[in-house]
Amino acid sequence: MKVSVSILRNKDNFKDSIKTLNSTQTDYIHLDILDGTFTSFSSFELKDFSKLKNSKPYDIHIMSSNLEYQVNEAIKLKPEIITMQYEACKKLDKYIDLIRENGIKVGIAINPN
């Protein structure tokens, strides 16, 4: 079993949260990326993580209708996993292929409603 810890609740102190998680036994740091295009609120910008020292791989969950931008930004972080919302895009195959071509695992999240 692998454990992925989300830092969404610590949005304002995410750098401190990552420092703390780097010293734990968690397997992944889970980043929920919401830009207000798929949900009514926003969270982090992926570029905020590009300069952080991190010893744990990222597990990125993109909740955005702007997959072209968000997937390309996520790939730059070289995460182990990128998950996208099924309902957010009509051309998921394009992004699944792009993610896989970069050696990253792909996940699809489905809104139960």
Side-chain angles (χ1 to χ4, degrees), residues 7-112:
I7 62 170
L8 183 60
R9 292 249 184 219
N10 292 329
K11 180 180 170 184
D12 296 330
N13 297 316
F14 72 91
K15 292 177 185 178
D16 292 335
S17 296
I18 287 178
K19 284 180 190 175
T20 300
L21 288 173
N22 279 330
S23 65
T24 69
Q25 292 185 8
T26 188
D27 298 294
Y28 304 102
I29 295 174
H30 183 86
L31 304 179
D32 288 301
I33 305 302
L34 304 94
D35 63 4
T37 62
F38 180 70
T39 63
S40 60
F41 55 97
S42 60
S43 63
F44 314 102
E45 290 189 38
L46 286 164
K47 64 183 177 183
D48 294 334
F49 296 90
S50 64
K51 295 179 183 175
L52 292 179
K53 302 269 188 214
N54 186 30
S55 63
K56 306 287 183 184
Y58 288 125
D59 163 15
I60 299 174
H61 181 188
I62 300 172
M63 292 174 264
S64 170
S65 297
N66 187 6
L67 287 180
E68 184 75 30
Y69 174 77
Q70 296 295 354
V71 167
N72 283 299
E73 287 298 305
I75 288 169
K76 291 176 187 177
L77 291 176
K78 301 180 189 301
E80 187 159 327
I81 307 162
I82 296 175
T83 301
M84 302 168 289
Q85 287 295 136
Y86 172 80
E87 302 85 3
C89 181
K90 294 181 177 27
K91 297 183 181 181
L92 276 177
D93 290 346
K94 171 184 173 180
Y95 299 105
I96 290 170
D97 292 342
L98 176 62
I99 293 166
R100 285 183 175 164
E101 287 168 5
N102 283 277
I104 300 166
K105 296 175 188 172
V106 178
I108 302 297
I110 300 171
N111 186 338

